[in-house]
């Protein structure tokens, strides 16, 4: 299995902390060609878009434009950042990952304002909270929403049944309304399924518990708030599976094997369904989905943007508007579990049918309401970098037996240092 979108998310915060990357403001000649060129290039990464829809876009616009696409492997943000800084060979259209969008906003001048090209007329079709995450304080829109990552609880129906637990999604949801409910159920399930675990690691828990709040690590006034009660509560909840023996401590490449063998549940975004299916095809029909304890978070979800060097902005905008129309968004969900940012897609046949991997469950009935209920939280450009030490220290608890209180103190201390280096007060 290639590095999944799940893997990209786990690596993003560490990459941000290590590099402190933002888009440089160097000049350059751009992609070359004339401003009204007939050749356009599109950069994205595997799983960002439906390959079928992209292929059809080439044909759909072939009379006006020759669209050349490239699926970029490795560290997409690093490659895009370097290319934008150099100012040469810049793609006309590029993807930007949801976890990276905030870090690009301070350099919004590197991109065209999509509002000038017609996005304002289309924006009501997309979730407002998702649209605003790619918007500067003065209203410049640099990203066109591709998808979102509403989260839910994936669980093994067969292992629940073995423990005598009612496996109906509505019944399971009623059993796990709070995190303590979830941990209590996990203890019961583990007792009936020796050798199994409730969560894959504490970092995954922390992503969810932080994402359920309306505040993160930096406030709108650029003040560090990563030592306040909301983050401490998220930390305390995230450590509970470790203290209860419910944590599989998977921080290496063993997740693929574990998800098909000894993980009772997975907390993840809608796109995580594809990761599970690819990693454990032998478990087809054994998984179900229900709402996450407490409420949903958002994990991931990306954008398309037009760098300022785009050779034909009007045609490029037509292309991305077509690729990301609600109808094609729905197809993206069918093709690659890319969950649309356009709610109109949620009622389309491509999204409302039963999913065989999940025992015929109509999983849109869980993810659709979750998408609309994601809490709105300000995400500062330095958010990912500041979050990274908390994830590292959670891993230190698992791998080194570090005391949670000591790990918390070190996480806060390191986060403050990173925040200061990033210009946070």
């Amino acid at each position: 299995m290639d590095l999944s979108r799940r893997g990209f998310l786990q690596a993003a915060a560490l990459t941000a902390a290590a590099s402190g990357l933002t888009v440089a403001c160097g000049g350059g000649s751009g992609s070359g060609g004339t401003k009204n060129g007939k050749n356009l290039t599109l950069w994205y990464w595997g799983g960002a878009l439906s390959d079928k829809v992209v292929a059809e876009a080439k044909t759909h616009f072939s009379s006006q434009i020759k669209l050349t696409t490239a699926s970029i492997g490795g560290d997409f943000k690093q490659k895009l950042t370097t290319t934008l800084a150099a100012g040469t060979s810049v793609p006309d259209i590029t993807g930007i990952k949801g976890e990276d969008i905030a870090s690009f906003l301070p350099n919004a001048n590197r991109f065209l304002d999509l509002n000038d090209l017609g996005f304002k007329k289309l924006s009501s079709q997309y979730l407002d909270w998702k649209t605003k995450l790619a918007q500067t304080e003065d209203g410049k829109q640099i990203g066109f929403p591709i998808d979102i990552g509403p989260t839910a609880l994936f669980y093994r129906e067969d292992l629940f049944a073995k423990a005598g637990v009612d496996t109906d999604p509505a019944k399971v949801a009623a059993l796990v309304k709070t995190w303590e409910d979830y941990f209590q159920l996990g203890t019961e399930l583990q007792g009936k399924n020796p050798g199994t675990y409730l969560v894959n690691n504490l970092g995954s828990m922390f992503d969810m518990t932080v994402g359920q709040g309306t505040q993160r690590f930096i406030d709108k006034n650029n003040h560090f708030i990563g030592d306040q009660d909301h983050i401490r509560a998220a930390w305390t909840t995230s450590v509970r599976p470790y203290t209860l023996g419910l944590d599989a401590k998977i921080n290496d490449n063993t997740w693929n094997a574990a998800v098909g063998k000894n993980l009772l549940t997975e907390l993840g975004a809608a796109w995580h369904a594809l990761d599970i299916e690819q990693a454990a095809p032998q478990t087809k029909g054994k998984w179900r989905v229900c709402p996450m304890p407490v409420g949903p978070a958002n994990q991931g979800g990306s954008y398309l943007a037009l760098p300022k060097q785009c050779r034909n902005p009007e045609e490029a905008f037509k292309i991305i508007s077509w690729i990301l129309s609600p109808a094609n968004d729905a197809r993206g969900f069918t093709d690659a579990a890319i969950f649309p940012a356009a709610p109109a897609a949620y009622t389309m046949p491509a999204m409302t049918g039963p999913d065989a991997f999940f025992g015929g469950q109509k999983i849109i009935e869980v993810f659709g309401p979750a998408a609309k209920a994601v809490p709105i939280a300000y995400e500062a450009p330095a958010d990912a970098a500041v979050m990274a030490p908390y994830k590292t220290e959670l891993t230190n608890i698992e791998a080194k037996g570090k005391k949670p209180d000591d790990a918390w103190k070190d996480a806060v201390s390191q986060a403050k240092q990173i925040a200061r280096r990033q210009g946070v007060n």
Side-chain angles (χ1 to χ4, degrees):
M1 177 181 171
D2 293 332
L3 183 59
S4 66
R5 283 168 286 179
R6 169 181 171 273
F8 279 127
L9 284 168
Q10 290 181 331
L14 295 176
T15 300
S19 62
L21 286 173
T22 55
V23 182
C25 293
S29 59
S31 1
T34 62
K35 192 65 177 176
N36 294 311
K38 298 297 183 182
N39 297 308
L40 294 178
T41 55
L42 164 63
W43 279 15
Y44 66 110
W45 56 92
L49 297 167
S50 162
D51 290 331
K52 294 178 182 178
V53 171
V54 170
E56 287 186 22
K58 294 180 181 180
T59 303
H60 187 81
F61 291 95
S62 60
S63 62
Q64 299 93 18
I65 290 293
K66 179 182 178 182
L67 178 63
T68 302
T69 62
S71 182
I72 307 297
D75 189 332
F76 188 91
K77 180 186 176 183
Q78 174 73 72
K79 293 178 181 179
L80 177 60
T81 299
T82 302
T83 302
L84 290 171
T88 57
S89 301
V90 178
D92 299 287
I93 305 168
T94 183
I96 298 179
K97 295 180 181 180
E99 62 268 28
D100 296 332
I101 191 69
S103 68
F104 282 102
L105 289 176
N107 303 96
N109 62 315
R110 279 294 178 190
F111 301 92
L112 298 177
D113 184 353
L114 300 181
N115 286 329
D116 293 339
L117 297 167
F119 182 76
K120 277 188 177 180
K121 295 179 181 178
L122 303 176
S123 62
S124 63
Q125 297 180 40
Y126 302 87
L127 288 163
D128 186 58
W129 64 263
K130 178 65 176 179
T131 296
K132 287 182 177 177
L133 289 175
Q135 196 175 92
T136 62
E137 289 186 10
D138 60 358
K140 182 177 181 180
Q141 188 72 36
I142 71 168
F144 196 126
I146 297 176
D147 65 324
I148 58 175
T151 60
L153 176 66
F154 299 87
Y155 64 93
R156 282 285 298 269
E157 185 271 346
D158 57 329
L159 299 181
F160 274 50
K162 183 179 177 181
V165 176
D166 194 323
T167 62
D168 178 77
K171 296 291 179 63
V172 174
L175 290 175
V176 295
K177 289 183 177 180
T178 70
W179 287 115
E180 283 303 315
D181 291 340
Y182 176 56
F183 302 145
Q184 182 177 341
L185 178 61
T187 300
E188 178 184 342
L189 290 166
Q190 192 182 60
K192 300 292 181 64
N193 293 279
T196 59
Y197 298 93
L198 190 67
V199 301
N200 65 68
N201 62 49
L202 303 187
S204 296
M205 278 290 308
F206 194 60
D207 282 331
M208 298 301 164
T209 54
V210 171
Q212 288 177 320
T214 56
Q215 291 180 301
R216 294 182 64 84
F217 300 88
I218 302 163
D219 67 17
K220 290 184 178 180
N221 296 317
N222 201 36
H223 293 134
F224 174 78
I225 55 173
D227 55 354
Q228 294 186 7
D229 290 346
H230 66 290
I231 297 297
R232 184 60 201 255
W235 172 278
T236 300
T237 298
S238 300
V239 172
R240 287 281 285 152
Y242 174 81
T243 59
L244 293 171
L246 301 172
D247 175 21
K249 307 175 187 176
I250 301 171
N251 288 289
D252 52 24
N253 295 320
T254 60
W255 178 81
N256 281 16
V259 77
K261 184 179 179 182
N262 60 357
L263 284 179
L264 295 160
T265 68
E266 275 284 278
L267 298 164
W271 47 257
H272 193 44
L274 184 62
D275 292 339
I276 297 173
E277 184 173 352
Q278 290 179 336
Q282 74 279 11
T283 62
K284 180 178 180 179
K286 296 180 179 180
W287 288 89
R288 300 290 185 273
V289 186
C290 75
M292 200 165 72
V294 179
N298 182 71
Q299 189 179 33
S302 304
Y303 300 86
L304 288 179
L306 305 182
K308 71 174 185 179
Q309 293 93 340
C310 179
R311 291 170 288 181
N312 194 329
E314 290 75 19
E315 289 299 323
F317 185 76
K318 288 179 184 178
I319 290 171
I320 65 176
S321 300
W322 186 86
I323 290 174
L324 301 177
S325 66
N328 282 331
D329 268 359
R331 292 178 58 201
F333 184 73
T334 301
D335 295 342
I338 302 168
F339 197 87
Y346 304 167
T347 59
M348 295 179 179
M351 294 195 69
T352 57
D355 190 314
F357 188 82
F358 292 94
Q361 183 183 354
K362 297 179 180 180
I363 62 175
I364 185 60
E365 294 176 357
V366 176
F367 288 112
K372 297 175 183 179
V374 168
I376 299 172
Y378 170 70
E379 187 168 338
D383 186 89
V386 172
M387 185 181 191
Y390 299 87
K391 304 285 283 291
T392 299
E393 288 299 326
L394 287 168
T395 299
N396 286 340
I397 293 172
E398 295 172 313
K400 301 177 181 179
K402 191 169 184 177
K403 293 181 180 179
D405 284 346
D406 292 341
W408 164 258
K409 291 175 184 176
D410 288 345
V412 171
S413 176
Q414 294 164 33
K416 286 181 176 179
Q417 293 177 34
I418 292 170
R420 283 193 293 268
R421 291 199 296 268
Q422 298 271 341
V424 178
N425 298 321

PDB file of all heavy atoms in Angstrom, residues 37-52:
ATOM      1  N   GLY A  37      -2.174  31.038 -23.010  1.00  0.00           N
ATOM      2  CA  GLY A  37      -1.711  29.786 -23.587  1.00  0.00           C
ATOM      3  C   GLY A  37      -2.787  28.716 -23.641  1.00  0.00           C
ATOM      4  O   GLY A  37      -3.746  28.726 -22.883  1.00  0.00           O
ATOM      5  N   LYS A  38      -2.606  27.787 -24.560  1.00  0.00           N
ATOM      6  CA  LYS A  38      -3.551  26.683 -24.734  1.00  0.00           C
ATOM      7  C   LYS A  38      -3.083  25.419 -24.041  1.00  0.00           C
ATOM      8  O   LYS A  38      -3.739  24.384 -24.130  1.00  0.00           O
ATOM      9  CB  LYS A  38      -3.755  26.411 -26.240  1.00  0.00           C
ATOM     10  CG  LYS A  38      -4.357  27.580 -26.999  1.00  0.00           C
ATOM     11  CD  LYS A  38      -5.755  27.913 -26.508  1.00  0.00           C
ATOM     12  CE  LYS A  38      -6.391  29.033 -27.305  1.00  0.00           C
ATOM     13  NZ  LYS A  38      -7.740  29.389 -26.804  1.00  0.00           N
ATOM     14  N   ASN A  39      -1.951  25.490 -23.365  1.00  0.00           N
ATOM     15  CA  ASN A  39      -1.438  24.349 -22.630  1.00  0.00           C
ATOM     16  C   ASN A  39      -1.466  24.664 -21.141  1.00  0.00           C
ATOM     17  O   ASN A  39      -0.914  25.682 -20.711  1.00  0.00           O
ATOM     18  CB  ASN A  39       0.005  24.039 -23.049  1.00  0.00           C
ATOM     19  CG  ASN A  39       0.102  23.636 -24.505  1.00  0.00           C
ATOM     20  OD1 ASN A  39      -0.610  22.747 -24.958  1.00  0.00           O
ATOM     21  ND2 ASN A  39       0.971  24.309 -25.245  1.00  0.00           N
ATOM     22  N   LEU A  40      -2.119  23.824 -20.358  1.00  0.00           N
ATOM     23  CA  LEU A  40      -2.182  24.010 -18.915  1.00  0.00           C
ATOM     24  C   LEU A  40      -1.707  22.742 -18.208  1.00  0.00           C
ATOM     25  O   LEU A  40      -1.931  21.629 -18.706  1.00  0.00           O
ATOM     26  CB  LEU A  40      -3.606  24.345 -18.467  1.00  0.00           C
ATOM     27  CG  LEU A  40      -4.186  25.683 -18.945  1.00  0.00           C
ATOM     28  CD1 LEU A  40      -5.624  25.837 -18.460  1.00  0.00           C
ATOM     29  CD2 LEU A  40      -3.349  26.852 -18.458  1.00  0.00           C
ATOM     30  N   THR A  41      -1.059  22.933 -17.081  1.00  0.00           N
ATOM     31  CA  THR A  41      -0.580  21.798 -16.297  1.00  0.00           C
ATOM     32  C   THR A  41      -1.298  21.746 -14.951  1.00  0.00           C
ATOM     33  O   THR A  41      -1.611  22.783 -14.361  1.00  0.00           O
ATOM     34  CB  THR A  41       0.937  21.903 -16.050  1.00  0.00           C
ATOM     35  OG1 THR A  41       1.232  23.163 -15.433  1.00  0.00           O
ATOM     36  CG2 THR A  41       1.709  21.782 -17.349  1.00  0.00           C
ATOM     37  N   LEU A  42      -1.532  20.539 -14.474  1.00  0.00           N
ATOM     38  CA  LEU A  42      -2.195  20.308 -13.188  1.00  0.00           C
ATOM     39  C   LEU A  42      -1.339  19.377 -12.352  1.00  0.00           C
ATOM     40  O   LEU A  42      -1.002  18.276 -12.789  1.00  0.00           O
ATOM     41  CB  LEU A  42      -3.584  19.690 -13.415  1.00  0.00           C
ATOM     42  CG  LEU A  42      -4.270  19.023 -12.213  1.00  0.00           C
ATOM     43  CD1 LEU A  42      -4.547  20.042 -11.111  1.00  0.00           C
ATOM     44  CD2 LEU A  42      -5.564  18.331 -12.649  1.00  0.00           C
ATOM     45  N   TRP A  43      -0.996  19.828 -11.139  1.00  0.00           N
ATOM     46  CA  TRP A  43      -0.284  18.991 -10.182  1.00  0.00           C
ATOM     47  C   TRP A  43      -1.252  18.538  -9.094  1.00  0.00           C
ATOM     48  O   TRP A  43      -1.979  19.341  -8.522  1.00  0.00           O
ATOM     49  CB  TRP A  43       0.828  19.789  -9.500  1.00  0.00           C
ATOM     50  CG  TRP A  43       2.102  19.930 -10.255  1.00  0.00           C
ATOM     51  CD1 TRP A  43       2.323  19.693 -11.575  1.00  0.00           C
ATOM     52  CD2 TRP A  43       3.347  20.389  -9.706  1.00  0.00           C
ATOM     53  NE1 TRP A  43       3.624  19.968 -11.899  1.00  0.00           N
ATOM     54  CE2 TRP A  43       4.284  20.398 -10.770  1.00  0.00           C
ATOM     55  CE3 TRP A  43       3.767  20.792  -8.449  1.00  0.00           C
ATOM     56  CZ2 TRP A  43       5.611  20.792 -10.597  1.00  0.00           C
ATOM     57  CZ3 TRP A  43       5.084  21.182  -8.264  1.00  0.00           C
ATOM     58  CH2 TRP A  43       5.999  21.181  -9.331  1.00  0.00           C
ATOM     59  N   TYR A  44      -1.210  17.247  -8.786  1.00  0.00           N
ATOM     60  CA  TYR A  44      -1.914  16.735  -7.613  1.00  0.00           C
ATOM     61  C   TYR A  44      -1.183  15.492  -7.134  1.00  0.00           C
ATOM     62  O   TYR A  44      -0.122  15.148  -7.662  1.00  0.00           O
ATOM     63  CB  TYR A  44      -3.389  16.470  -7.921  1.00  0.00           C
ATOM     64  CG  TYR A  44      -3.702  15.373  -8.924  1.00  0.00           C
ATOM     65  CD1 TYR A  44      -4.298  14.175  -8.514  1.00  0.00           C
ATOM     66  CD2 TYR A  44      -3.454  15.533 -10.292  1.00  0.00           C
ATOM     67  CE1 TYR A  44      -4.630  13.179  -9.426  1.00  0.00           C
ATOM     68  CE2 TYR A  44      -3.777  14.543 -11.206  1.00  0.00           C
ATOM     69  CZ  TYR A  44      -4.360  13.375 -10.769  1.00  0.00           C
ATOM     70  OH  TYR A  44      -4.673  12.385 -11.675  1.00  0.00           O
ATOM     71  N   TRP A  45      -1.683  14.866  -6.095  1.00  0.00           N
ATOM     72  CA  TRP A  45      -1.030  13.675  -5.547  1.00  0.00           C
ATOM     73  C   TRP A  45      -2.029  12.523  -5.598  1.00  0.00           C
ATOM     74  O   TRP A  45      -3.238  12.726  -5.705  1.00  0.00           O
ATOM     75  CB  TRP A  45      -0.551  13.919  -4.112  1.00  0.00           C
ATOM     76  CG  TRP A  45      -1.643  14.367  -3.192  1.00  0.00           C
ATOM     77  CD1 TRP A  45      -2.439  13.591  -2.406  1.00  0.00           C
ATOM     78  CD2 TRP A  45      -2.107  15.718  -3.006  1.00  0.00           C
ATOM     79  NE1 TRP A  45      -3.351  14.365  -1.738  1.00  0.00           N
ATOM     80  CE2 TRP A  45      -3.175  15.676  -2.086  1.00  0.00           C
ATOM     81  CE3 TRP A  45      -1.722  16.957  -3.530  1.00  0.00           C
ATOM     82  CZ2 TRP A  45      -3.858  16.818  -1.686  1.00  0.00           C
ATOM     83  CZ3 TRP A  45      -2.401  18.093  -3.126  1.00  0.00           C
ATOM     84  CH2 TRP A  45      -3.457  18.021  -2.205  1.00  0.00           C
ATOM     85  N   GLY A  46      -1.537  11.321  -5.493  1.00  0.00           N
ATOM     86  CA  GLY A  46      -2.401  10.155  -5.556  1.00  0.00           C
ATOM     87  C   GLY A  46      -3.484  10.190  -4.500  1.00  0.00           C
ATOM     88  O   GLY A  46      -3.199  10.363  -3.323  1.00  0.00           O
ATOM     89  N   GLY A  47      -4.740  10.050  -4.914  1.00  0.00           N
ATOM     90  CA  GLY A  47      -5.862  10.067  -3.991  1.00  0.00           C
ATOM     91  C   GLY A  47      -6.471  11.434  -3.773  1.00  0.00           C
ATOM     92  O   GLY A  47      -7.493  11.557  -3.100  1.00  0.00           O
ATOM     93  N   ALA A  48      -5.873  12.493  -4.359  1.00  0.00           N
ATOM     94  CA  ALA A  48      -6.411  13.843  -4.156  1.00  0.00           C
ATOM     95  C   ALA A  48      -7.654  14.094  -4.991  1.00  0.00           C
ATOM     96  O   ALA A  48      -8.560  14.817  -4.580  1.00  0.00           O
ATOM     97  CB  ALA A  48      -5.349  14.891  -4.485  1.00  0.00           C
ATOM     98  N   LEU A  49      -7.671  13.514  -6.180  1.00  0.00           N
ATOM     99  CA  LEU A  49      -8.778  13.695  -7.112  1.00  0.00           C
ATOM    100  C   LEU A  49      -9.140  12.345  -7.714  1.00  0.00           C
ATOM    101  O   LEU A  49      -8.343  11.404  -7.682  1.00  0.00           O
ATOM    102  CB  LEU A  49      -8.386  14.648  -8.247  1.00  0.00           C
ATOM    103  CG  LEU A  49      -8.038  16.095  -7.880  1.00  0.00           C
ATOM    104  CD1 LEU A  49      -7.366  16.781  -9.068  1.00  0.00           C
ATOM    105  CD2 LEU A  49      -9.282  16.856  -7.452  1.00  0.00           C
ATOM    106  N   SER A  50     -10.328  12.265  -8.275  1.00  0.00           N
ATOM    107  CA  SER A  50     -10.698  11.065  -9.021  1.00  0.00           C
ATOM    108  C   SER A  50      -9.902  11.050 -10.323  1.00  0.00           C
ATOM    109  O   SER A  50     -10.022  11.969 -11.146  1.00  0.00           O
ATOM    110  CB  SER A  50     -12.194  11.077  -9.337  1.00  0.00           C
ATOM    111  OG  SER A  50     -12.487  10.161 -10.373  1.00  0.00           O
ATOM    112  N   ASP A  51      -9.098  10.029 -10.526  1.00  0.00           N
ATOM    113  CA  ASP A  51      -8.324   9.929 -11.765  1.00  0.00           C
ATOM    114  C   ASP A  51      -9.247   9.840 -12.978  1.00  0.00           C
ATOM    115  O   ASP A  51      -8.911  10.334 -14.062  1.00  0.00           O
ATOM    116  CB  ASP A  51      -7.408   8.705 -11.716  1.00  0.00           C
ATOM    117  CG  ASP A  51      -6.264   8.869 -10.724  1.00  0.00           C
ATOM    118  OD1 ASP A  51      -5.844  10.017 -10.491  1.00  0.00           O
ATOM    119  OD2 ASP A  51      -5.794   7.849 -10.187  1.00  0.00           O
ATOM    120  N   LYS A  52     -10.415   9.228 -12.797  1.00  0.00           N
ATOM    121  CA  LYS A  52     -11.367   9.116 -13.903  1.00  0.00           C
ATOM    122  C   LYS A  52     -11.907  10.493 -14.295  1.00  0.00           C
ATOM    123  O   LYS A  52     -12.034  10.811 -15.481  1.00  0.00           O
ATOM    124  CB  LYS A  52     -12.514   8.187 -13.517  1.00  0.00           C
ATOM    125  CG  LYS A  52     -12.101   6.735 -13.322  1.00  0.00           C
ATOM    126  CD  LYS A  52     -13.286   5.881 -12.893  1.00  0.00           C
ATOM    127  CE  LYS A  52     -12.867   4.436 -12.657  1.00  0.00           C
ATOM    128  NZ  LYS A  52     -14.008   3.594 -12.189  1.00  0.00           N
TER     129      LYS A  52
END
